[in-house]
Amino acid sequence: MATEGHAVTVIGVFALQGNVREHLAMLAEVGVEGRAVRRPSELAEVDAMVLPGGESTTMDKLARAFDLFEPLQKRIADGMPVFGTCAGMIMLANEITGGTADQETLGGLDVTVRRNAFGRQVDSFEADLDFSAFDTPYHAVFIRAPWVERVGRDVEVLSTVSSGPATGRIVAVRHDRLLATSFHPEMTGDARLHGYFADLVRG
């Protein structure tokens, strides 16, 4: 595991599925060393992790196949900062609805997330979201996205949908050093959320 006195913040990206290259580019833009993580030895060398979008049931199976599931679960339980986006949000949630019967999550984030929540209404869409941490709206890209149906007492809601059929739905949350969004921040060209996460890691 990276040490506390580590001169450079190193953030890993779960690299078995999803927009790995895009997340690595965003991390570089905010001055962080990003590394693709596919095996436990690589996980041991990073200070934090990004769980990208993809297909959550496939990510679950791949993490097990590459012996990453239990080490990831333990690092999260031990307090490692993690940023989950879209399917990554599902992987972080303590509880999911709309999943498969045998689907498990890494857990750590005290929320209930509904898989493919926007699917029947709008498979993919874009929206400008207000964030308390930012002075101007954040343009978000949603692709068969989940939403958060329940938040635990210590979970902070960072953003909700402000218009359309999903008005009021929770799409960004934070609990201590765990951050999760329903959308794909790596696809917008706006690195503010990656910078926000990097600050959580450094802090």
Side-chain angles (χ1 to χ4, degrees):
M1 187 187 306
T3 61
E4 293 218 355
H6 210 281
V8 178
T9 299
V10 181
I11 298 179
V13 179
F14 180 91
L16 299 175
Q17 195 193 36
N19 291 340
V20 180
R21 191 169 39 186
E22 292 85 348
H23 277 291
L24 290 171
M26 283 290 197
L27 292 171
E29 191 171 327
V30 299
V32 170
E33 180 181 338
R35 292 185 192 170
V37 172
R38 296 181 180 85
R39 49 182 65 89
S41 60
E42 293 166 341
L43 174 63
E45 296 299 319
V46 303
D47 301 293
M49 280 290 290
V50 173
L51 301 176
E55 210 292 312
S56 59
T57 53
T58 303
M59 289 170 72
D60 175 20
K61 290 171 184 171
L62 287 171
R64 292 174 192 283
F66 282 79
D67 296 321
L68 258 182
F69 190 91
E70 288 186 5
L72 262 174
Q73 202 169 45
K74 185 177 187 309
R75 286 289 305 273
I76 293 168
D78 289 345
M80 177 180 67
V82 182
F83 182 11
T85 68
C86 197
M89 170 188 266
I90 296 168
M91 293 290 287
L92 273 183
N94 282 353
E95 184 180 21
I96 56 174
T97 57
T100 60
D102 60 345
Q103 185 173 359
E104 290 186 55
T105 67
L106 295 165
L109 187 59
D110 186 13
V111 296
T112 302
V113 171
R114 177 170 292 280
R115 281 184 77 231
N116 296 333
F118 292 96
R120 293 202 174 170
Q121 295 173 341
V122 218
D123 284 334
S124 303
F125 69 101
E126 300 182 19
D128 290 326
L129 304 175
D130 290 325
F131 271 82
S132 54
F134 304 144
D135 293 333
T136 56
Y138 189 98
H139 189 72
V141 177
F142 294 82
I143 302 172
R144 294 191 63 78
W147 64 43
V148 177
E149 297 203 330
R150 177 198 62 85
V151 295
R153 184 176 60 185
D154 298 324
V155 176
E156 178 185 1
V157 174
L158 297 179
S159 188
T160 60
V161 178
S162 58
S163 63
T167 296
R169 291 295 185 180
I170 299 168
V171 291
V173 293
R174 173 190 169 188
H175 180 203
D176 195 15
R177 299 173 86 189
L178 298 179
L179 175 67
T181 65
S182 298
F183 50 88
H184 288 262
E186 79 283 3
M187 297 177 70
T188 63
D190 186 338
R192 285 180 293 171
L193 271 168
H194 288 77
Y196 180 84
F197 180 59
D199 287 343
L200 288 184
V201 177
R202 295 186 188 108

